[in-house]
Every structure is written in C-alpha cells, then in structure tokens.
Amino acid sequence: RMVVALEDGLYYTWISGKLGARLAYRNLGSKLRKVDNAALKQEELIYSHDFTLQQLEHRLNRMQGERTNEEKVQLNAKIKLLNETGMGKTESNSNCSYCATQESWR
C-alpha cells in the first residue's frame, strides 16, 4: 500500500487499511463458521451411519441365532420345564435343528 506524504492522505490511507482489515477479519470469521457447520453436518452424518450399521449388525446377529444372556436363561428355563413335565421329550425333538441349537447353549 502506498502512503501519501500529505497529512490528510496519510489519514485516509490508514483508515482504508483499517477498514480492509476489518472486512478481512469478518470474511475469515464467516468462512470459519461455514467450515464449522460443514464439519458438524459431516459428524452428524457419520454418527447416523454408525447407528444404522449397529442396528443392521444386531439384526443380522439375531437372524443368525444369537441371543442375549437373558434370553438364553429364559429359553433354558422353558426347556427345563418342558423336560421335567415330559412335554419336551418326543422323538421329533431329536431331529429338530432349533432344539439342537438350544442344547448347544447349555
């Protein structure tokens, strides 16, 4: 920037430099807010995809026969009750794949 030797010119040059610096500062602040907002949106998108992925993995595990410990305890209690009452002892149970998986949980 060229500084004029005149007192009035020097003053105007200093003022225009100060105004230019303020505008640059505002522009940088605006750009920073835009970048922050974009980063926040990306984080939200990643969180959403992670949550969806966890739900799909849980569903897949359920389809593959995995159960929680609480469900295993409840199912084993039902099996025990059926075996004690004699209702669970039929010849068809020995060929049942579901019953075989129940036996492997014990």
Side-chain angles (χ1 to χ4, degrees), residues 9-92:
L10 181 62
Y11 179 74
Y12 288 125
T13 303
W14 178 79
I15 293 239
S16 65
K18 188 173 179 181
L19 290 174
R22 279 188 188 169
L23 288 173
Y25 178 76
R26 285 183 189 162
N27 286 338
L28 287 175
S30 174
K31 287 180 182 179
L32 180 61
R33 280 189 297 278
K34 286 180 183 176
V35 169
D36 282 344
N37 286 337
L40 183 61
K41 286 181 183 178
Q42 287 179 352
E43 286 178 19
E44 289 172 356
L45 186 63
I46 289 171
Y47 175 80
S48 173
H49 285 220
D50 281 345
F51 183 73
T52 302
L53 180 61
Q54 287 177 359
Q55 285 182 322
L56 291 173
E57 287 175 344
H58 178 72
R59 287 181 190 170
L60 180 62
N61 290 338
R62 296 282 295 173
M63 283 190 242
Q64 292 174 343
E66 291 186 22
R67 300 291 181 251
T68 64
N69 287 336
E70 184 178 313
E71 288 175 314
K72 288 177 186 179
V73 168
Q74 289 174 354
L75 289 171
N76 285 332
K78 286 181 184 179
I79 290 170
K80 184 178 178 183
L81 178 66
L82 289 172
N83 284 336
E84 287 173 356
T85 59
M87 299 180 119
K89 296 183 180 186
T90 63
E91 201 168 301
S92 62

